[in-house]
């Protein structure tokens, strides 16, 4: 992921808060960023961000593993190094023919606009998924999570993971991830949704989902309830739809009809460095606690903690010396501070 500030103007037709896939007209943007701006290179990928944060918040050695595709190049090596440094085991499908995916992150007034050039990331191979090593990780996982970006190229892999989770009554979680996925990848999204025990998204994605799925309401709680009520494969678990709204309260609607609303802790505007990776970090903190058997409120608290910490830093990074101590738990060691 490369990040530059300030951004070029809107010659590239970009919107604040949005995330899109690069089209031919966007390709010169990458060269322009490097040529005209001071660019920071930060390990990213929405799912890998969440997994790194989950490992940090969980704290247990070897808790989290990540599966995905990279190129056999320096950026691929950087991604692996970033994951290993945070204690995440990687199972990369390494391609000689495609470079590692990159994402231009343009930040303006603390809002981000993402332009992803998926490259190797959209060539995750069936043979890698079916390999013994990958299947071993999938089989052993208590929680499997994928951001929605995987829908653009490998939704069959998401369905296979969802089926495994349903058969074993383990947890499958996914993310709406971007408005364009709700609009242009509806078929793939609806193939995966029946397996989702947790669906994450932000308010913009919830609105896009509603608009493209005949949900008349514009109210986040009503939209979350409608997604929670969609058909579900594993009826032994309810579905929880968790919608974050930046500084506003997080709403979780569950298929049993309950709604949990948790206020987001305020962070002074001047302390926010950039909100890129906020949603990814929320998911990491949330799922780390779910994997420990925590309830929804405790999981949302951990999500808020992780996201609140990350947005006060550059990119999706965190101070790994900070240990998360859930409210009410004995603080045996370092205290949790955002
Ligand atoms: P996304 O990155 O998907 O747009 P959100 O903007 O909804 O996700 O943010 C996810 C989480 O990050 C929020 O639930 C909150 O914990 C934290 N967060 C984001 N923006 C702010 C903010 N301005 N003030 C406080 N917390 C924030
Ligand atoms: Mg946001």
């Amino acid at each position: 992921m490369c990040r530059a500030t300030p951004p070029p103007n809107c010659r590239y037709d970009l919107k604040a808060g949005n995330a899109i896939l690069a089209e031919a007209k966007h390709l010169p943007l990458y060269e322009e960023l490097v040529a005209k701006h001071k660019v920071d290179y930060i390990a990213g990928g929405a799912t890998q961000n969440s997994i790194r944060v989950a490992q940090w918040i969980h704290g247990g050695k070897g808790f989290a593993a990540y599966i995905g595709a990279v190129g056999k190049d320096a950026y691929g090596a950087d991604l692996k190094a970033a994951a290993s440094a945070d204690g995440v085991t990687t199972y990369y499908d390494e391609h000689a023919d495609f470079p590692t995916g990159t994402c231009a992150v343009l930040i303006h007034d603390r809002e981000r606009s993402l332009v992803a050039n998926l490259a190797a990331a959209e060539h995750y191979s069936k043979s890698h998924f079916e390999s013994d090593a990958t299947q071993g990780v999938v089989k052993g996982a208590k929680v499997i999570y994928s951001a929605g970006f995987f829908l653009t190229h490998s939704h069959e892999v998401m369905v296979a993971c969802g089926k495994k989770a349903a058969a074993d009554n383990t947890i499958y979680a996914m993310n709406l991830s971007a408005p364009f996925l709700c609009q242009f990848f509806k078929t793939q999204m609806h193939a995966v949704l029946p397996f989702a025990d947790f669906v994450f998204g932000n308010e913009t994605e919830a609105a896009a989902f509603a608009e493209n799925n005949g949900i008349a309401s514009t109210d986040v709680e009503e939209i979350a309830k409608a997604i929670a009520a969609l058909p579900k494969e594993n009826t032994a678990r309810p579905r929880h739809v968790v919608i974050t709204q930046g500084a506003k309260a997080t709403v979780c609607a569950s298929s049993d009809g309950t709604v949990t609303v948790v206020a987001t802790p305020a962070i002074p505007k001047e302390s926010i460095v950039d909100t890129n990776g906020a949603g990814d970090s929320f998911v990491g903190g949330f799922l780390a606690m779910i994997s420990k058997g925590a309830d929804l409120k405790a999981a949302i608290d951990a999500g808020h903690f992780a996201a609140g910490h990350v947005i006060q830093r550059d990119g999706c990074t965190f101070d790994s010396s900070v240990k998360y101590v859930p409210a009410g738990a004995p603080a045996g060691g370092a205290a949790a501070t955002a």
Side-chain angles (χ1 to χ4, degrees), residues 17 111-112 202-204 245-246 275 278:
E111 260 300 352
R112 86 306 192 255
N202 65 21
E203 73 280 31
T204 321
Q245 310 186 76
T275 55

Side-chain angles (χ1 to χ4, degrees), residues 56-59 285 288-289 292 297-306 319-327 329-331 334-337:
W56 165 50
I57 295 295
H58 185 280
M289 292 307 286
K292 291 188 179 194
K297 163 77 171 65
I300 294 171
D301 283 346
H304 284 160
F305 171 83
D319 176 352
S320 55
S321 71
V322 172
K323 305 288 174 225
Y324 179 61
V325 182
T337 47

Side-chain angles (χ1 to χ4, degrees), residues 65-225:
Y66 173 82
I67 298 165
V70 298
K72 280 190 180 162
D73 53 25
Y75 289 156
D78 288 350
L79 283 182
K80 195 181 187 99
S84 317
D86 292 326
V88 172
T89 316
T90 52
Y91 293 82
Y92 287 146
D93 181 15
E94 292 184 18
H95 289 269
D97 316 351
F98 302 100
T100 299
T102 48
C103 180
V105 180
L106 292 91
I107 299 165
H108 186 63
D109 280 348
R110 298 188 179 82
E111 260 300 352
R112 86 306 192 255
S113 191
L114 310 183
V115 189
N117 183 16
L118 295 176
E122 61 183 343
H123 294 278
Y124 182 70
S125 70
K126 201 161 173 260
S127 60
H128 186 272
F129 182 67
E130 288 170 352
S131 69
D132 289 347
T134 308
Q135 285 300 309
V137 181
V138 172
K139 196 158 180 271
K142 279 205 279 184
V143 180
I144 302 176
Y145 168 72
S146 178
F149 298 108
F150 221 59
L151 291 170
T152 63
H153 47 86
S154 298
H155 82 283
E156 301 89 349
V157 169
M158 295 171 77
V159 169
C161 290
K163 281 188 178 161
K164 176 265 165 203
D168 296 353
N169 194 24
T170 54
I171 293 170
Y172 186 76
M174 66 180 286
N175 204 313
L176 302 178
S177 286
F180 82 86
L181 293 166
C182 303
Q183 196 177 357
F184 301 119
F185 291 89
K186 252 177 86 170
T187 311
Q188 294 88 333
M189 193 176 268
H190 280 281
V192 181
L193 272 169
F195 300 100
D197 300 301
F198 290 91
V199 178
F200 299 97
N202 65 21
E203 73 280 31
T204 321
E205 292 143 17
F209 188 95
E211 237 178 87
N212 290 284
N213 287 278
I215 301 170
S217 181
T218 52
D219 180 75
V220 162
E221 189 174 316
E222 292 306 317
I223 298 168
K225 279 186 192 165

Side-chain angles (χ1 to χ4, degrees), residues 7-28:
N9 57 34
C10 284
R11 274 176 292 119
Y12 292 103
D13 210 10
L14 304 176
K15 290 193 193 106
N18 205 4
I20 59 167
L21 293 185
E23 297 166 31
K25 68 176 179 184
H26 297 117
L27 294 180

Side-chain angles (χ1 to χ4, degrees), residues 108-111 247 265-275 311-312:
H108 186 63
D109 280 348
R110 298 188 179 82
E111 260 300 352
I267 296 176
K269 206 175 170 196
E270 57 277 13
S271 302
I272 298 177
V273 176
D274 81 67
T275 55
I311 65 175
Q312 295 180 64

Side-chain angles (χ1 to χ4, degrees), residues 19-80:
I20 59 167
L21 293 185
E23 297 166 31
K25 68 176 179 184
H26 297 117
L27 294 180
L29 165 67
Y30 297 88
E31 279 167 29
E32 181 174 337
L33 279 178
V34 176
K36 295 196 184 161
H37 297 270
K38 185 191 159 290
V39 173
D40 293 332
Y41 291 88
I42 298 172
T47 308
Q48 182 165 298
N49 283 346
S50 296
I51 299 301
R52 285 171 43 240
V53 171
Q55 174 66 51
W56 165 50
I57 295 295
H58 185 280
K61 199 168 183 294
F63 161 71
Y66 173 82
I67 298 165
V70 298
K72 280 190 180 162
D73 53 25
Y75 289 156
D78 288 350
L79 283 182
K80 195 181 187 99

